[in-house]
Amino acid sequence: MLRLKTAALAVLLCAACDGGKAQPDAAAAKSASAEAQKPAEAKAAEPADAESAEPAASEPSAAEADPLGQRFRDPAWFRGTMLGDKGTKVDFARSEANEAGLFKSHLIFEMAEGTTVDDCVSAVTDALKDAVELSREDQPNDRAQLTGSTDRYEVTAVCGEGKGKMRAYVAYEWTR
């Protein structure tokens, strides 16, 4: 009877054991998966040439050649910290891409206490001075609208009071 129990235990152990083959643990599997993705991520992180020529008929379209849309990364100035200590980001939104793959994005900043419309305009203009020249147009209700464009996008900014605080709305839209 003892032999039967020992034999049964041995069979159970063999069935539960894989015969000594090493099994990859979850961390190793995850690491292998991450290694496989690195070349694609590294390629995606490379900046696309903004001044590329039109593709030849045999070349893939821009969307096919750049399926992750790297050619439409946010401009370097478009950051939640672009106004420094003069304004705090309170909102961000991005539209869905249109049929050409182009989209719009905006940030809304709450300006520091005591900021005037002119102070707000100066802060936004200073933040964008290296990227785009903005022109000012005064609007009703003590607001100012700033507009400008580059060869690839248009910029619109509005400074004025909203929800009891001075706010800056800063947006851009890809044009090509």
Side-chain angles (χ1 to χ4, degrees), residues 126-148:
D126 287 347
L128 298 174
K129 68 183 174 193
D130 293 335
V132 63
E133 184 177 332
L134 297 172
S135 58
R136 177 179 175 162
E137 182 180 326
D138 289 324
Q139 302 288 314
N141 299 328
D142 295 323
R143 293 180 184 267
Q145 180 172 328
L146 305 167
T147 55

Side-chain angles (χ1 to χ4, degrees), residues 14-174:
C14 287
C17 179
D18 63 356
K21 288 193 280 183
Q23 294 289 325
D25 62 337
K30 191 174 189 178
S31 174
S33 173
E35 286 298 319
Q37 291 177 355
K38 276 189 182 178
E41 290 173 355
K43 187 174 185 178
E46 295 174 8
D49 183 13
E51 301 300 321
S52 62
E54 290 294 316
S58 63
E59 293 180 19
S61 71
E64 291 169 343
D66 185 20
L68 298 177
Q70 294 302 308
R71 69 191 183 284
F72 296 120
R73 282 195 245 181
D74 290 332
W77 57 265
F78 191 75
R79 302 286 179 259
T81 57
M82 65 185 275
L83 298 181
D85 61 351
K86 296 176 183 174
T88 304
K89 180 185 92 167
V90 294
D91 194 19
F92 164 82
R94 176 169 287 138
S95 71
E96 290 190 27
N98 64 18
E99 59 280 346
L102 306 173
F103 57 86
K104 304 172 189 178
S105 299
H106 78 255
L107 289 165
I108 298 177
F109 297 90
E110 190 171 279
M111 305 304 286
E113 190 68 35
T115 301
T116 64
V117 171
D118 290 333
D119 296 336
C120 176
V121 167
S122 293
V124 172
T125 302
D126 287 347
L128 298 174
K129 68 183 174 193
D130 293 335
V132 63
E133 184 177 332
L134 297 172
S135 58
R136 177 179 175 162
E137 182 180 326
D138 289 324
Q139 302 288 314
N141 299 328
D142 295 323
R143 293 180 184 267
Q145 180 172 328
L146 305 167
T147 55
S149 63
T150 70
D151 62 333
R152 297 207 55 219
Y153 56 83
E154 294 176 351
V155 176
T156 302
V158 178
C159 288
E161 188 173 324
K163 298 185 180 183
K165 305 256 183 188
M166 180 60 61
R167 291 184 172 229
Y169 166 89
V170 181
Y172 77 91
E173 178 179 0
W174 289 110

